[in-house]
Amino acid sequence: MLTVVYSGLRHSKKTNMPNFDSLLNVSPFALILLGAVFVHACFQLSVSVLTLLSSHSIGRRLSNNRLFSLNVWYILGVATTIAMLQLGAMATYRSATSTDSTLATVVTFSVIPLIALLVVFVYYRRGRGTQLWLPRPAAEYITTRAKKTKSSVEAFALGATTAVVELPFALAPLAIVAFAFQGFNAEHWLQLAIGYALAVTLPLIFVALFLSSGHKVSSVQRWREDAKGYLKWTSAITLFVLMIYVTVLQLGAVA
C-alpha cells in the first residue's frame, strides 16, 4: 500500500494518461491532495478580503445581485491565480528534479515544517479579533482597493492580489501538490491545477452565497474569530502529517 501512489504515478508516465483508478480508490495520492486542499482552504486572507469587499459594497447600498456579482469575480481572481501558481510550482519542481531530484525533494520538505510553525506563531495575530499577519503597507493597500472596487475587473484584480500576497504560506500546500502531480504528464497539469483551485475556493463560494442572501458580515467575522484556534492548529498539524506521510511513502517506494 505504501508504494501505490508512486507505482500509479510511474504507470501514468508510461501510458501518457493519469492513473485515475487509484484516485477513485482513495489512494495515497488522493489523501495527499485532500490534505493540501484542506490546508490551503484554512488560510483566511481571501475570506477576510471577501468580507471587506462585501462590507463596503453593502455600505454603498448595492443590491444583493450586484454584491454577488462582485464576489464571484473576486473568487474567480483568487481561483485563477491559485491555478497559475500551482502550474508554476509544478513546472519549477519538474525543472529542479531534472537537475537533482534528491536535493529538490529535501529542500521542498524542509520548507514545509517551517511554514507550519509560521502558521502557528505568525499567521494569526495574538489576542481576540480576526487580524492576520499582513504587513501594514500590504494591509492598507488591500483595504484601499477593497473600498474602491466597483467593477468586475477591479474585483478580479483584488482576488488575484490577495492570492499572491498569501503565497509565503500557500507555498507549502502548493509544493506538496506539485510533488504529488509529478507523475502526471504536463498536458494534464492545467486540468489538475484548475480542479485544485476550485476545491480551495469552495469556502469562498459558500461565504459569497451566505452574504449575498442578506446575512450580515458580522456573522462571518464571529465565525472566523471562534474558529481561529481550530484553523491554526489543524492546518499546521496537517502539514506535519502530510510531510511525514509522503516521506514514509517515498521510503517505501525506494525500498
Side-chain angles (χ1 to χ4, degrees):
M1 181 63 179
L2 291 177
T3 60
V4 169
V5 63
Y6 294 98
S7 61
L9 295 182
R10 287 196 296 269
H11 176 70
S12 68
K13 287 182 179 180
K14 295 178 181 179
T15 61
N16 200 36
M17 288 291 289
N19 185 6
F20 290 108
D21 290 340
S22 60
L23 297 182
L24 296 176
N25 292 327
V26 193
S27 69
F29 175 92
L31 293 176
I32 293 168
L33 184 58
L34 288 172
V37 167
F38 172 77
V39 171
H40 204 151
C42 280
F43 295 142
Q44 291 291 290
L45 181 57
S46 56
V47 176
S48 176
V49 177
L50 178 62
T51 58
L52 190 62
L53 172 63
S54 299
S55 178
H56 290 303
S57 299
I58 293 171
R60 295 198 302 269
R61 300 184 182 279
L62 298 182
S63 66
N64 286 341
N65 288 339
R66 182 56 183 161
L67 172 63
F68 182 69
S69 176
L70 286 177
N71 287 346
V72 166
W73 280 102
Y74 168 83
I75 294 170
L76 284 174
V78 174
T80 301
T81 306
I82 289 175
M84 292 176 64
L85 290 172
Q86 186 62 77
L87 285 172
M90 289 188 285
T92 301
Y93 194 85
R94 172 69 61 89
S95 176
T97 53
S98 65
T99 303
D100 190 332
S101 60
T102 302
L103 179 61
T105 303
V106 169
V107 171
T108 299
F109 288 95
S110 297
V111 171
I112 290 172
L114 175 61
I115 294 178
L117 292 174
L118 289 176
V119 168
V120 174
F121 296 108
V122 177
Y123 186 77
Y124 295 92
R125 296 287 177 88
R126 293 185 179 183
R128 297 188 62 80
T130 57
Q131 285 189 325
L132 300 175
W133 63 278
L134 277 180
R136 184 171 296 276
E140 290 177 352
Y141 174 79
I142 289 178
T143 300
T144 301
R145 294 312 311 160
K147 289 180 180 179
K148 295 181 177 181
T149 296
K150 298 179 181 179
S151 68
S152 302
V153 174
E154 290 173 327
F156 184 94
L158 181 63
T161 301
T162 302
V164 172
V165 168
E166 200 160 50
L167 184 57
F169 296 91
L171 185 62
L174 290 174
I176 291 173
V177 173
F179 174 82
F181 279 174
Q182 288 307 300
F184 293 95
N185 293 289
E187 63 191 71
H188 302 292
W189 283 1
L190 180 59
Q191 300 98 301
L192 293 167
I194 291 174
Y196 175 80
L198 291 176
V200 170
T201 53
L202 277 178
L204 292 179
I205 297 173
F206 293 141
V207 171
L209 291 171
F210 182 80
L211 294 176
S212 61
S213 62
H215 292 86
K216 295 181 179 180
V217 174
S218 58
S219 300
V220 179
Q221 295 295 78
R222 281 197 300 271
W223 177 85
R224 288 183 58 219
E225 184 172 351
D226 293 340
K228 182 167 66 174
Y230 170 81
L231 295 174
K232 175 174 67 176
W233 286 105
T234 53
S235 57
I237 291 171
T238 301
L239 281 177
F240 276 112
V241 171
L242 283 174
M243 182 190 66
I244 295 170
Y245 184 57
V246 172
T247 301
V248 170
L249 285 172
Q250 194 170 29
L251 290 175
V254 172

